[in-house]
Amino acid sequence: MKKSIAGIGVAAALTAALVLGAAAPAEASVPRSYQNALAQARSYVRSLDFSKAGLYNQLHSPYGGQFSAKASRYAVEHVKVNWSREALGSAQSYVRSLNFSKQGLFDQLTSDAGSQYTASQASYALKHVKVNYNKEALAAAKSYDKLLHLSDDALYEQLTSSAGSQFTASQARYAIDHL
Protein backbone atom coordinates (compact mmCIF):
# COMPACT_ATOMS: atom_id res chain seq x y z
CA MET A 1 0.00 0.00 0.00
CA LYS A 2 1.29 3.42 -0.89
CA LYS A 3 1.70 6.05 1.75
CA SER A 4 0.53 9.61 1.54
CA ILE A 5 3.37 11.94 0.65
CA ALA A 6 1.65 14.63 2.73
CA GLY A 7 2.20 12.50 5.84
CA ILE A 8 5.97 12.39 5.47
CA GLY A 9 6.67 15.51 3.47
CA VAL A 10 7.92 15.79 -0.08
CA ALA A 11 11.51 16.57 0.90
CA ALA A 12 11.68 13.63 3.31
CA ALA A 13 10.15 11.28 0.72
CA LEU A 14 12.63 12.38 -1.94
CA THR A 15 15.56 12.11 0.47
CA ALA A 16 14.45 8.63 1.52
CA ALA A 17 14.16 7.59 -2.12
CA LEU A 18 17.72 8.71 -2.81
CA VAL A 19 19.09 7.07 0.35
CA LEU A 20 17.36 3.81 -0.59
CA GLY A 21 19.08 3.86 -3.98
CA ALA A 22 16.04 4.68 -6.08
CA ALA A 23 18.05 6.65 -8.58
CA ALA A 24 19.70 4.55 -11.26
CA PRO A 25 23.29 5.26 -12.23
CA ALA A 26 23.38 8.37 -14.38
CA GLU A 27 23.95 7.97 -18.10
CA ALA A 28 26.29 10.57 -19.53
CA SER A 29 24.00 11.23 -22.49
CA VAL A 30 20.94 12.03 -20.36
CA PRO A 31 20.78 15.61 -19.03
CA ARG A 32 20.78 15.98 -15.24
CA SER A 33 17.33 17.63 -15.27
CA TYR A 34 15.94 14.57 -17.09
CA GLN A 35 17.58 12.24 -14.56
CA ASN A 36 16.15 14.30 -11.69
CA ALA A 37 12.69 14.31 -13.23
CA LEU A 38 12.87 10.53 -13.59
CA ALA A 39 14.04 10.11 -9.99
CA GLN A 40 11.19 12.31 -8.79
CA ALA A 41 8.72 10.37 -10.96
CA ARG A 42 9.91 7.12 -9.35
CA SER A 43 9.45 8.63 -5.92
CA TYR A 44 5.96 9.84 -6.72
CA VAL A 45 4.73 6.50 -8.11
CA ARG A 46 6.11 4.66 -5.08
CA SER A 47 4.13 6.95 -2.78
CA LEU A 48 0.95 7.78 -4.67
CA ASP A 49 -1.16 6.51 -7.57
CA PHE A 50 -0.75 8.54 -10.75
CA SER A 51 -1.91 8.30 -14.32
CA LYS A 52 0.70 9.05 -16.95
CA ALA A 53 -0.93 12.44 -17.63
CA GLY A 54 -1.29 13.16 -13.92
CA LEU A 55 2.36 12.35 -13.28
CA TYR A 56 3.44 14.53 -16.20
CA ASN A 57 1.34 17.40 -14.84
CA GLN A 58 2.81 16.94 -11.35
CA LEU A 59 6.36 16.97 -12.66
CA HIS A 60 5.80 19.93 -14.98
CA SER A 61 3.61 22.01 -12.66
CA PRO A 62 4.93 25.20 -11.06
CA TYR A 63 3.42 23.73 -7.85
CA GLY A 64 5.12 20.36 -8.33
CA GLY A 65 8.51 19.46 -9.75
CA GLN A 66 8.81 22.50 -12.03
CA PHE A 67 10.59 20.43 -14.66
CA SER A 68 10.56 21.40 -18.32
CA ALA A 69 8.02 19.79 -20.62
CA LYS A 70 10.79 17.71 -22.23
CA ALA A 71 12.22 16.50 -18.90
CA SER A 72 8.73 15.68 -17.63
CA ARG A 73 7.92 13.78 -20.83
CA TYR A 74 11.20 11.87 -20.57
CA ALA A 75 10.40 10.89 -16.98
CA VAL A 76 6.90 9.56 -17.67
CA GLU A 77 8.17 7.63 -20.69
CA HIS A 78 11.01 6.00 -18.75
CA VAL A 79 9.56 5.37 -15.29
CA LYS A 80 8.76 1.69 -14.83
CA VAL A 81 5.14 1.53 -13.76
CA ASN A 82 1.99 -0.40 -14.56
CA TRP A 83 -0.51 2.37 -15.30
CA SER A 84 -3.46 0.00 -14.98
CA ARG A 85 -2.34 -0.95 -11.45
CA GLU A 86 -1.99 2.76 -10.69
CA ALA A 87 -5.61 3.21 -11.82
CA LEU A 88 -6.68 0.36 -9.53
CA GLY A 89 -4.91 2.03 -6.61
CA SER A 90 -6.70 5.28 -7.36
CA ALA A 91 -10.05 3.48 -7.63
CA GLN A 92 -9.48 1.80 -4.26
CA SER A 93 -8.68 5.16 -2.68
CA TYR A 94 -11.79 6.73 -4.15
CA VAL A 95 -14.16 4.02 -2.92
CA ARG A 96 -12.60 4.12 0.56
CA SER A 97 -13.34 7.83 0.89
CA LEU A 98 -16.39 8.58 -1.30
CA ASN A 99 -19.55 6.84 -2.50
CA PHE A 100 -19.17 6.12 -6.18
CA SER A 101 -21.32 4.34 -8.70
CA LYS A 102 -19.47 2.29 -11.28
CA GLN A 103 -20.06 4.97 -13.93
CA GLY A 104 -19.15 7.76 -11.51
CA LEU A 105 -15.91 5.99 -10.63
CA PHE A 106 -15.09 5.49 -14.31
CA ASP A 107 -15.78 9.18 -14.98
CA GLN A 108 -13.56 10.24 -12.06
CA LEU A 109 -10.71 8.02 -13.22
CA THR A 110 -10.84 9.22 -16.84
CA SER A 111 -11.80 12.87 -16.44
CA ASP A 112 -9.39 15.63 -17.40
CA ALA A 113 -10.45 17.27 -14.13
CA GLY A 114 -9.96 13.95 -12.30
CA SER A 115 -7.25 11.34 -12.47
CA GLN A 116 -6.74 11.33 -16.27
CA TYR A 117 -6.37 7.59 -16.80
CA THR A 118 -7.13 6.10 -20.19
CA ALA A 119 -10.45 4.30 -20.68
CA SER A 120 -8.58 0.99 -20.83
CA GLN A 121 -6.79 1.65 -17.54
CA ALA A 122 -10.01 2.75 -15.86
CA SER A 123 -11.79 -0.37 -17.14
CA TYR A 124 -9.05 -2.51 -15.65
CA ALA A 125 -9.50 -0.73 -12.32
CA LEU A 126 -13.28 -1.20 -12.36
CA LYS A 127 -12.87 -4.89 -13.13
CA HIS A 128 -10.52 -5.43 -10.17
CA VAL A 129 -11.63 -2.96 -7.49
CA LYS A 130 -13.41 -4.52 -4.55
CA VAL A 131 -16.64 -2.61 -4.09
CA ASN A 132 -20.29 -3.30 -3.39
CA TYR A 133 -22.21 -0.74 -5.42
CA ASN A 134 -25.45 -1.41 -3.53
CA LYS A 135 -23.68 -0.38 -0.32
CA GLU A 136 -22.16 2.62 -2.09
CA ALA A 137 -25.65 3.66 -3.23
CA LEU A 138 -27.03 3.20 0.29
CA ALA A 139 -24.27 5.32 1.81
CA ALA A 140 -24.88 8.02 -0.80
CA ALA A 141 -28.63 7.87 -0.14
CA LYS A 142 -28.04 8.27 3.60
CA SER A 143 -25.90 11.34 2.97
CA TYR A 144 -28.48 12.88 0.65
CA ASP A 145 -31.28 12.06 3.09
CA LYS A 146 -29.44 13.62 6.01
CA LEU A 147 -28.39 16.76 4.16
CA LEU A 148 -31.22 17.37 1.71
CA HIS A 149 -34.27 15.61 3.20
CA LEU A 150 -35.47 14.45 -0.23
CA SER A 151 -38.63 12.59 -1.11
CA ASP A 152 -38.07 9.02 -2.33
CA ASP A 153 -38.75 10.11 -5.91
CA ALA A 154 -36.28 13.01 -5.68
CA LEU A 155 -33.73 10.77 -3.97
CA TYR A 156 -34.12 8.15 -6.72
CA GLU A 157 -33.58 10.87 -9.34
CA GLN A 158 -30.46 12.12 -7.55
CA LEU A 159 -29.03 8.62 -7.27
CA THR A 160 -29.66 7.67 -10.92
CA SER A 161 -29.24 10.97 -12.74
CA SER A 162 -26.33 11.43 -15.14
CA ALA A 163 -25.85 14.81 -13.42
CA GLY A 164 -26.01 13.08 -10.03
CA SER A 165 -24.51 9.87 -8.69
CA GLN A 166 -25.19 7.68 -11.75
CA PHE A 167 -26.17 4.54 -9.84
CA THR A 168 -28.23 1.96 -11.67
CA ALA A 169 -31.98 1.80 -11.10
CA SER A 170 -31.63 -1.39 -9.05
CA GLN A 171 -28.86 0.12 -6.90
CA ALA A 172 -30.96 3.23 -6.25
CA ARG A 173 -33.99 1.09 -5.40
CA TYR A 174 -31.87 -1.01 -3.03
CA ALA A 175 -30.62 2.15 -1.31
CA ILE A 176 -34.08 3.64 -0.86
CA ASP A 177 -35.52 0.33 0.37
CA HIS A 178 -32.77 0.04 3.01
CA LEU A 179 -32.80 3.58 4.40
Side-chain angles (χ1 to χ4, degrees):
M1 174 179 279
K2 296 183 181 192
K3 294 182 175 69
S4 168
I5 232 175
I8 59 174
V10 173
L14 293 175
T15 301
L18 292 174
V19 169
L20 296 173
E27 284 197 33
S29 64
V30 178
R32 189 177 66 78
S33 64
Y34 287 35
Q35 294 172 28
N36 287 345
L38 179 56
Q40 193 169 100
R42 288 176 181 142
S43 180
Y44 278 133
V45 298
R46 268 194 307 278
S47 303
L48 302 166
D49 298 298
F50 278 96
S51 66
K52 192 173 190 177
L55 181 58
Y56 171 86
N57 290 340
Q58 181 66 25
L59 292 168
H60 186 57
S61 169
Y63 306 107
Q66 300 179 0
F67 290 100
S68 71
K70 288 181 180 181
S72 300
R73 220 175 353 271
Y74 173 86
V76 299
E77 293 301 328
H78 289 86
V79 68
K80 289 182 180 22
V81 64
N82 181 323
W83 300 112
S84 294
R85 298 287 297 171
E86 292 291 301
L88 176 58
S90 290
Q92 289 168 333
S93 294
Y94 285 133
V95 299
R96 274 194 301 271
S97 57
L98 301 167
N99 306 113
F100 275 102
S101 66
K102 189 173 187 176
Q103 184 61 50
L105 184 55
F106 180 85
D107 291 349
Q108 180 64 30
L109 290 169
T110 58
S111 170
D112 286 340
S115 297
Q116 300 178 302
Y117 290 100
T118 66
S120 174
Q121 293 160 355
S123 294
Y124 174 90
L126 292 179
K127 182 177 179 183
H128 293 91
V129 68
K130 292 179 181 6
V131 60
N132 180 323
Y133 290 110
N134 281 338
K135 288 184 180 180
E136 293 292 307
L138 177 57
K142 286 179 179 179
S143 292
Y144 291 137
D145 193 50
K146 183 178 180 179
L147 294 172
L148 303 174
H149 311 288
L150 301 172
S151 69
D152 284 356
D153 289 342
L155 180 55
Y156 179 86
E157 179 63 27
Q158 180 63 36
L159 290 169
T160 59
S161 170
S162 61
S165 296
Q166 302 183 75
F167 287 101
T168 65
S170 65
Q171 293 162 350
R173 185 55 43 214
Y174 173 89
I176 292 168
D177 291 346
H178 290 86
L179 277 177

